[in-house]
Amino acid sequence: MKIRLVIIIVLLSIICDIYSQQINSINKLFEEFNSIDSPGVVAVLVQNGEIKHLNGYGNANLEYEIPITSKTIFHIGSVSKQFTAFAILLLENQGKLSLDDFIGKYLNDLPKFKNKIKIRHLLHHTSGLRELEKLQQIAGITSADQIESSFLYKLIKNQNDLNFEPGEELEYTNTNYFLLAKIVEYISGEKFRDWTKENIFLPLGMNNSQFYDDCSEIVKNRAYAYGDWDGELYKGILSYSYVGPTSVLTTGEDMCKWLINFSEIQLGNEAIIKKMLSATDTLNSGEHVDYGYGFGISNYKGLNIALHSGHDANYRAGVIYFPEHKTGIALLGNYYSISPYKYGFDMADIVLKDFIQEKKEEDLEPMKNEEVENYLLPYSQLIEFEGNYVSEELGVQYDLNITNDTLRASYWRNEEVLLTPADEDHFEGNQYWFNNIRFIRDDNNIIIGFKLSSGNVRNLIFTKV
């Protein structure tokens, strides 16, 4: 009996020593933020239904030198999408919707494509809808403006076309999750903020979490967010007053409860959690996509993972979950230079080192720099592209004029765009939201407009006045 007791004591001592070493190693990852002059992060680790690490590093407010703690509130950007997906799956489980329902069943004021797009297309980013944040940038709406839900819904309702037919491609757009929140509101008859509070946050004991739908509202214990420019810190402006794809405010403590629910289920059921952490969908071609229900589904060093990051107004956040090991990691930060995935995977390397498979680096051929010949146009040809061009969808007009032999696009609410010829009737812009335009000609070879494409906004038509 005494021998057995001694063995148990020794084993417990070894376990405690290993755990202490892991915590010390995790703390070292964040040493650089241990300064009164630095913003920082709260790091969360849960395993097998227990909190293994929960600690804050750096300051929540540099003006008043308030330290980050487990109770500090952060805006988590696109990490919010997993809560929106969870809301949809709860309603599906209750029989109040089907993932194969066309969105026009709930949002009948949308354009003609409302009966092409299914709820599952929104969940997996295969709808073809244009990116609402890119549209608002083209329309001259920036972070200096308070961005209201009603305004964004008008942008979506004014879309005349899709980037592609639903189910043909995967293209990440915030528009998808914005509309999912609208569907929840239609079915429940409540504001999305209120429904999620009553049906997700409070049941899980996440009492300091909410979908924040009014950026002017005062929230106690919230961290300010910071970026840096030429070595100087500046404060970010949070102007979002819309929910679904973003805008969850939460704490490290509350994120522990969310992650623990994936292994010790209090809300939802096993089928819902399995979907959240591993299920994806297929394209019309049968090809599998790697985006599931508010999570990217991937693999890290031989381990299956569900993960998502987020950033808005210099806030940074990330969640990584390892289903087979019931291990969840979350990073909530108020400094744009923080990489949640870097620190998250560094933490995983520490706590799951006995399970990860280190990959050998393969010899890679050096990339060859190929010189691209400039496509030059003389002034006599460039002048035909001048004019005023209007987008009916956005209700904005861009004026194209030549200055110093360069075609420029200007709109009073945006920065001027320099347009460089790339090919016949094809120009490239120097702004990320206005970087590819192709001019349209009529049967008489007269320019009548152009199509603007920029990442997840394709072929937005501007007509020449």
Side-chain angles (χ1 to χ4, degrees):
M1 187 69 178
K2 289 183 178 180
I3 294 175
R4 185 179 300 174
L5 182 61
V6 170
I7 292 173
I8 292 173
I9 293 172
V10 170
L11 288 174
L12 287 175
S13 176
I14 292 172
I15 292 171
C16 289
D17 186 54
I18 292 172
Y19 176 68
S20 178
Q21 290 177 17
Q22 289 181 346
I23 296 305
N24 289 336
S25 297
I26 290 173
N27 284 330
K28 286 182 180 178
L29 294 176
F30 303 99
E31 280 182 338
E32 63 182 295
F33 304 113
N34 287 329
S35 165
I36 61 172
D37 299 321
S38 175
V41 63
V42 61
V44 170
L45 169 66
V46 301
Q47 285 186 299
N48 300 309
E50 296 181 0
I51 300 172
K52 296 296 185 180
H53 184 76
L54 174 59
N55 198 16
Y57 310 87
N59 273 273
N61 186 303
L62 299 183
E63 294 168 2
Y64 295 97
E65 298 179 356
I66 299 172
I68 290 172
T69 72
S70 62
K71 298 181 184 296
T72 302
I73 291 176
F74 294 87
H75 190 283
I76 61 173
S78 287
V79 173
S80 308
K81 289 181 173 67
Q82 57 201 252
F83 295 95
T84 302
F86 191 63
I88 291 292
L89 292 177
L90 288 176
L91 290 176
E92 181 199 28
N93 186 62
Q94 295 167 13
K96 295 182 179 179
L97 60 79
S98 165
L99 301 190
D100 287 314
D101 287 341
F102 289 108
I103 63 174
K105 179 177 179 181
Y106 309 101
L107 307 172
N108 57 18
D109 54 347
L110 289 176
K112 59 184 179 181
F113 53 69
K114 64 187 176 185
N115 291 323
K116 288 184 175 183
I117 300 172
K118 297 179 179 180
I119 290 176
R120 68 171 60 255
H121 291 138
L122 300 180
L123 285 163
H124 305 296
H125 295 294
T126 58
S127 68
L129 286 162
R130 291 171 175 154
E131 168 56 58
L132 59 85
E133 292 186 1
K134 190 72 67 64
L135 291 174
Q136 73 187 30
Q137 179 68 65
I138 297 168
I141 308 301
T142 71
S143 59
D145 300 284
Q146 184 167 331
I147 303 168
E148 299 284 351
S149 176
S150 58
F151 168 74
L152 295 180
Y153 197 42
K154 287 179 183 177
L155 279 183
I156 297 170
K157 290 193 293 184
N158 285 342
Q159 291 188 42
N160 293 324
D161 206 355
L162 300 170
N163 286 340
F164 51 83
E165 286 297 304
E168 287 296 310
E169 300 179 32
L170 182 150
E171 187 170 65
Y172 183 95
T173 67
N174 288 289
T175 312
N176 294 309
Y177 276 70
F178 178 89
L179 292 182
L180 287 172
K182 288 288 184 186
I183 289 171
V184 173
E185 290 183 335
Y186 178 91
I187 292 173
S188 67
E190 298 181 62
K191 292 176 65 176
F192 189 65
R193 170 180 179 163
D194 296 336
W195 190 91
T196 49
K197 179 179 179 181
E198 296 163 6
N199 293 275
I200 297 178
F201 297 127
L202 290 183
L204 287 176
M206 299 176 68
N207 299 323
N208 291 307
S209 299
Q210 62 172 301
F211 267 100
Y212 185 61
D213 61 5
D214 181 358
C215 69
S216 65
E217 184 179 326
I218 295 171
V219 178
K220 292 183 178 180
N221 298 321
R222 178 170 50 170
Y224 282 14
Y226 302 90
D228 49 42
W229 185 266
D230 291 335
E232 295 292 329
L233 289 173
Y234 67 93
K235 188 166 64 178
I237 301 172
L238 182 63
S239 58
Y240 293 171
S241 290
Y242 65 94
V243 295
T246 184
S247 295
V248 164
L249 297 184
T250 190
T251 68
E253 285 186 356
D254 279 5
M255 284 304 294
C256 288
K257 296 170 184 177
W258 172 246
L259 295 174
I260 286 172
N261 191 61
F262 291 151
S263 60
E264 308 297 321
I265 303 173
Q266 300 178 47
L267 182 62
N269 55 42
E270 189 173 340
I272 290 176
I273 299 303
K274 187 175 181 179
K275 273 187 178 180
M276 289 283 293
L277 298 178
S278 62
T280 57
D281 203 15
T282 56
L283 300 177
N284 298 338
S285 64
E287 178 186 353
H288 284 277
V289 298
D290 59 4
Y291 196 96
Y293 297 83
F295 278 110
I297 306 302
S298 188
N299 185 280
Y300 176 70
K301 295 183 177 180
L303 305 180
N304 293 322
I305 57 172
L307 76 170
H308 213 295
S309 64
H311 61 89
D312 282 329
N314 293 332
Y315 290 99
R316 298 299 299 267
V319 167
I320 308 170
Y321 196 84
F322 298 80
E324 284 84 0
H325 298 279
K326 297 181 179 179
T327 297
I329 293 168
L331 284 303
L332 313 180
N334 65 333
Y335 186 30
Y336 189 79
S337 296
I338 290 172
S339 172
Y341 284 163
K342 176 193 178 298
Y343 288 105
F345 286 129
D346 285 347
M347 289 174 64
D349 288 343
I350 292 169
V351 299
L352 296 174
K353 66 177 182 179
D354 294 334
F355 306 100
I356 62 177
Q357 301 169 11
E358 294 289 351
K359 292 184 179 180
K360 295 181 179 179
E361 291 188 9
E362 298 177 358
D363 293 329
L364 300 175
E365 293 185 11
M367 293 183 64
K368 297 179 180 178
N369 292 323
E370 298 183 3
E371 292 187 6
V372 179
E373 186 177 346
N374 290 331
Y375 185 83
L376 301 176
L377 286 178
Y379 181 85
S380 58
Q381 289 181 259
L382 201 60
I383 197 170
E384 69 173 325
F385 298 103
E386 283 193 318
N388 304 323
Y389 296 81
V390 172
S391 165
E392 291 184 5
E393 291 188 32
L394 301 183
V396 299
Q397 174 178 303
Y398 276 83
D399 302 324
L400 272 60
N401 295 289
I402 301 170
T403 304
N404 297 329
D405 294 326
T406 301
L407 188 65
R408 302 162 187 258
S410 59
Y411 172 54
W412 71 276
R413 285 190 63 95
N414 266 335
E415 296 178 69
E416 187 176 63
V417 184
L418 306 184
L419 301 175
T420 303
D423 203 343
E424 184 177 358
D425 292 342
H426 175 205
F427 287 71
E428 294 179 349
N430 68 332
Q431 299 292 345
Y432 76 94
W433 41 268
F434 203 109
N435 61 11
N436 192 314
I437 70 173
R438 293 185 180 273
F439 286 88
I440 307 166
R441 296 178 183 269
D442 64 12
D443 294 339
N444 297 315
N445 205 36
I446 303 299
I447 292 174
I448 58 174
F450 65 79
K451 292 181 179 180
L452 169 63
S453 296
S454 184
N456 43 16
V457 169
R458 304 186 200 175
N459 298 321
L460 181 66
I461 293 178
F462 282 75
T463 304
K464 191 173 185 178
V465 179

